[in-house]
Amino acid sequence: MTDTVAVYTKPQVIFHWLTAALVGVMLVTGFAYTNDLWGKAAITGHQISGQALILVLAGRIIMRVVGPRVTVGAVHSFWERGLAIIVHLSLYLCLIALTLTGYVAASALGETALALPIDRTAARSDLGEMFLDAHFTLKWVLLALLTVHIAASLKHAFFDRDGTFSRMTFQPRKDQDHA
């Protein structure tokens, strides 16, 4: 890690909102596929956006490790800082698990939009079925985590008005450290 800043860098903000957009696409295409709404386009879109999400997550993790550390500041209570750490870590782990289990499940299909599908026989095995079940369960975990994350963001933006939300936007702040 390098130095400490009060706000996220532009690449960190871009990675955050790319993740949000891709998760939104994944939710819509996953729903469409599950409910047989758009035919093959739904699963193709889901797989393509899932692969893009893998790349964006890798970029986010790299930025998190090598980029500047963002200070939380004294404005947040102990429980808010603790909950934020738990929710953010859980979001990362859930997104990684979702992409991995989805990749295995998609590899089991006859035709996929995957760049490098795993062995189809392995994907269609009992272990592959377990990955598919985990994928479907993890979507509910993700939705719960997103609900908490978005609710906390809205709380900080509209009730606390403490500048927390603006740190993940391109809005300039008076107390902003420019990285």
Side-chain angles (χ1 to χ4, degrees):
M1 280 189 214
T2 57
D3 50 310
T4 304
V5 294
V7 296
Y8 292 95
T9 63
K10 286 182 182 179
Q12 289 170 318
V13 173
I14 290 168
F15 275 122
H16 174 271
W17 291 109
L18 271 174
T19 302
L22 286 169
V23 167
V25 170
M26 299 291 297
L27 290 171
V28 169
T29 56
F31 178 83
Y33 175 68
T34 303
N35 293 288
D36 205 19
L37 297 178
W38 302 333
K40 188 177 177 190
I43 192 63
T44 300
H46 193 72
Q47 291 174 9
I48 291 169
S49 52
Q51 291 172 96
L53 183 58
I54 291 169
L55 298 175
V56 170
L57 284 173
R60 281 193 79 172
I61 291 168
I62 291 167
M63 287 298 305
R64 186 91 179 186
V65 171
V66 302
R69 195 174 62 100
V70 178
T71 59
V72 176
V75 70
H76 301 99
S77 66
F78 176 77
W79 71 267
E80 284 178 311
R81 289 190 303 269
L83 186 58
I85 290 168
I86 291 168
V87 170
H88 285 106
L89 181 60
S90 297
L91 277 167
Y92 277 108
L93 293 173
C94 188
L95 286 170
I96 291 167
L98 264 165
T99 56
L100 292 177
T101 58
Y103 208 89
V104 172
S107 295
L109 300 174
E111 294 180 34
T112 70
L114 300 179
L116 300 166
I118 67 165
D119 179 69
R120 187 168 181 223
T121 305
R124 294 185 67 88
S125 68
D126 289 342
L127 184 61
E129 286 294 319
M130 197 170 67
F131 272 72
L132 182 62
D133 291 342
H135 188 71
F136 286 132
T137 301
L138 285 167
K139 74 178 174 191
W140 297 112
V141 174
L142 178 64
L143 287 172
L145 290 167
L146 286 175
T147 300
V148 171
H149 182 65
I150 292 168
S153 299
L154 294 173
K155 172 193 171 285
H156 286 289
F158 297 112
F159 295 105
D160 297 346
R161 296 177 191 238
D162 58 11
T164 300
F165 184 80
S166 65
R167 295 183 326 156
M168 192 47 81
T169 66
F170 293 110
Q171 287 180 336
R173 285 183 37 204
K174 291 177 188 169
D175 63 338
Q176 181 173 349
D177 290 343
H178 296 284

